[in-house]
Amino acid sequence: MVPAVLTGSSGWLGRFLAPRLRRDGHEVVGLDVVDGKDTTVVGSVFDRSLIDRIFTDNDITTVVHCGALHKPDIARYSARAFVDVNVGMSGFFGSPFHAFGTSQRADDAKACRAKRV
């Protein structure tokens, strides 16, 4: 089985992707701030020590980032948190195969002097 971390595992998309990932041969480690059927770790994508522990303890090779903040979260999170989770995450995981997010891809394109994005 290929170990994969699924962020947002208790969310709408994560709940549907977890069974599919398992069918496709992945050992799913679900990460979400809310407990749920497919969430094995309750915590935040911004907890660096937690992320490091998840990757180390599970030999993670695949990241499926479905974690997102949306309208019900407006009262609990800052505007910056929305940008960081939904768009950014630039460099958060610290290595090329751990980095993801729209802004990270834009940074990559700029670094290699891409003519089209």
Side-chain angles (χ1 to χ4, degrees), residues 40-110:
T40 49
V41 179
V42 175
S44 171
V45 295
F46 288 106
D47 183 340
R48 184 57 185 245
S49 63
L50 175 64
I51 297 299
D52 290 344
R53 193 169 4 131
I54 291 170
F55 274 78
T56 302
D57 293 352
N58 299 282
D59 295 322
I60 298 295
T61 58
T62 303
V63 176
V64 180
H65 179 49
C66 297
L69 297 176
H70 51 97
K71 190 173 181 178
D73 299 314
I74 289 173
R76 295 181 294 171
Y77 295 96
S78 69
R80 180 66 203 180
F82 273 77
V83 172
D84 288 345
V85 172
N86 296 352
V87 180
M89 302 295 290
S90 180
F92 176 74
F93 286 110
S95 70
F97 71 92
H98 292 164
F100 48 81
T102 304
S103 68
Q104 183 62 47
R105 296 292 74 85
D107 291 347
D108 293 344
K110 182 178 177 183

